[in-house]
Amino acid sequence: MTVIDPDTQAGWVPEAEDGDDAEDMPLSMRLSIADTLTLGNATCGFMAVYFTTTGILIPHLTGSDESGMARHSAATAVILMLMAAVFDLFDGLVARKLRSSPMGAELDNLSDLISFGLAPAYFVLVYGMVADDAHQRVSALAAIVVLLAVVLRLARFSCVTMKDGMFQGMPSPFGALTVISIVLLELPFVPTLLAIIGVAWLMVSRVEYPKPRGVLAVAMLGWIVAAMGLLAAWAFDAPGGQLLLQTGCALQVVLGAVIPLFATARRVNTFRGNRREARAAQLP
């Protein structure tokens, strides 16, 4: 009579005597250094949602008058989103210099969805609830628009091949920081809503944006560090902190508006140049 081991019947295979090591792990399950940075991006996005909830939304719902706590929590949430942008910047650089795992691109998209889709959209929603309960439904609609714009932006990024060095549509980290800057400017509700929807449209548009490489990457990193300093000064109520923060937010919004203008002007000039060359080629 043959005795069948129940573990073998279930498909379990005993380990080899010399033991399995990392080399036996499927390639798709290995995390690279770039993947670790990408997971840091996702963690920062989740913690931004956490601080937005515990420091801004819950005190508002419970009727707390601690404005200082709300300011500190808002600054912390935005700083975490900025840190997520730093992780997103460096994971691409590290992946190009070293290596990336087969699931690196998927991890990057999922992490970006959390940090630059969910976190800023939730920030917009909470802003509308805190500013005026009458605007809660409209702010919820604006938050959904931001979230869907990022979803579509990331999905298109995975499917569309662009020429080297360029993005199609405003990159989601840049779009998220611009949306947050619009909220922190504390403009009237309607202009704030329209500006947020405008940024969402830019993210799904065909406007070309340069990828942050070389000098541009260094400039972006410097801008993020400066923004963290402005947020810290505002959070601790430093002299002129409010003015400095609003100046930084205004610069971010201006950059978000100017870059598409330059990109459009460049496309028009390229189109005109191609037409002139075509006409010159037709001449005898």
Side-chain angles (χ1 to χ4, degrees), residues 20 27 47 60 79 87 112 156 162 164 190 196 204 220 234 247-249 255 269 284:
D20 294 334
L27 185 62
M47 292 305 297
H60 169 72
I79 287 175
F87 280 119
D112 286 354
R156 186 176 64 183
M162 289 291 296
D164 188 42
V190 173
I196 289 173
V204 298
M220 181 178 176
W234 173 66
T247 301
C249 291
L255 282 174
N269 291 333

Side-chain angles (χ1 to χ4, degrees), residues 52 118-129 138-144 146 179-180 183 189 192-193 196:
T52 303
L118 176 62
Y122 186 69
F123 197 87
V124 169
L125 174 63
V126 173
Y127 154 76
M129 296 177 65
V138 180
S139 62
L141 178 62
I144 292 173
V146 171
V179 166
I180 296 300
V183 173
F189 184 79
T192 297
L193 179 67
I196 289 173

